[in-house]
Amino acid sequence: MASSSDITPSAGNTPEPDSRPEAVSAPEAAAGPTRRGRVRLRRAAVLAVPAAAVTAGLAILTAQGALGVQFAISGMPFTVTATELHGTGFAQFGALDNMTEDSPNAGDTGGQVLVVTSVIKDATLSKLCQSVDLGGTNLLITAGEGDTKVAASDLTTDSTLLSGDAAFNNIEIGNDASTLDKAGPKGRGPEGVFSQQADTVHIKNLRQTNYATTAGVFKLPGLKMRFSDSGC
């Protein structure tokens, strides 16, 4: 995941909250100060989520024992949209993401989420939007609204939902994930896992539900972060 040091907002684009929830819901009020404290901490933790990341694929992929990102996920999904994505060096395979032990977000998942891991060696995106539902409000992040597009290298996303109008160049479907070479070393998956790769990928009207994102470099022109009543 891209660290906060990779993102340097330009002058005039300092993120400011639009609005914050003013009332505490009845369940939170009944729970008392300790519960409210935990809720605040969980919401603050979402600020560490990277500004955004995107890619997409065509197939439903599965894996057993495969690891996607190399960190424990929060278990809170986030939505990512973009009007257009173009990538060079594309790879995709199935994986399992893991939460921390006894994560409050585990529900009935056992702390694991089956995801599609997508890797793009070099990617550009237009009108990028990312939102996280915090319950009563959304953390909303946008970038690339102007002439300069969002750019990322070694972009990796772990998704449970992928949609858009996609076109691939020189696609290969059914590879062993350990043999993938079009997206570089970071685009190789575990041995024996079904996968696909392509020289290029182009997607319009991209929409994803993601659990994790990493990138070697992430550039977000016109970055804005705020709270909003609606998400992407």
Side-chain angles (χ1 to χ4, degrees):
M1 182 176 292
S3 66
S4 58
S5 60
D6 293 326
I7 305 174
T8 307
S10 57
N13 289 327
T14 302
E16 296 181 358
D18 287 342
S19 62
R20 296 177 182 273
E22 298 179 356
V24 178
S25 64
E28 290 181 10
T34 301
R35 173 58 181 168
R36 289 197 297 270
R38 288 199 297 267
V39 171
R40 292 192 192 99
L41 286 174
R42 285 182 62 185
R43 291 184 177 179
V46 178
L47 296 177
V49 175
V54 286
T55 186
L58 297 175
I60 297 174
L61 311 174
T62 60
Q64 289 191 359
L67 294 177
V69 295
Q70 298 302 308
F71 55 81
I73 62 171
S74 70
M76 296 178 67
F78 52 99
T79 299
V80 173
T81 65
T83 57
E84 192 170 28
L85 173 147
H86 182 76
T88 301
F90 171 81
Q92 192 174 69
F93 48 88
L96 284 172
D97 280 353
N98 295 274
M99 304 175 204
T100 57
E101 187 175 357
D102 298 323
S103 170
N105 298 320
D108 59 358
T109 66
Q112 291 186 319
V113 180
L114 181 64
V115 296
V116 175
T117 295
S118 303
V119 184
I120 300 180
K121 184 63 178 175
D122 295 292
T124 59
L125 304 104
S126 301
K127 295 184 179 180
L128 183 66
C129 178
Q130 176 180 294
S131 61
V132 183
D133 186 353
L134 303 178
T137 190
N138 292 269
L139 175 64
L140 186 67
I141 301 169
T142 57
E145 295 282 348
D147 294 334
T148 305
K149 298 180 180 181
V150 171
S153 64
D154 293 327
L155 178 63
T156 303
T157 60
D158 285 4
S159 312
T160 55
L161 173 66
L162 308 160
S163 65
D165 302 316
F168 298 89
N169 183 41
N170 292 330
I171 191 169
E172 301 171 0
I173 301 174
N175 310 61
D176 185 300
S178 67
T179 66
L180 300 179
D181 57 7
K182 293 182 181 291
K186 293 184 181 296
R188 295 194 186 102
E191 185 176 359
V193 173
F194 181 91
S195 68
Q196 61 184 14
Q197 65 175 355
D199 289 345
T200 64
V201 57
H202 187 83
I203 303 168
K204 292 184 178 180
N205 304 317
L206 175 68
R207 188 174 188 88
Q208 292 179 295
T209 299
N210 292 344
Y211 276 86
T213 293
T214 65
V217 176
F218 218 152
K219 298 180 180 180
L220 295 108
L223 172 66
K224 294 180 181 178
M225 179 185 295
R226 58 202 181 275
F227 290 100
S228 174
D229 291 338
S230 59
C232 298

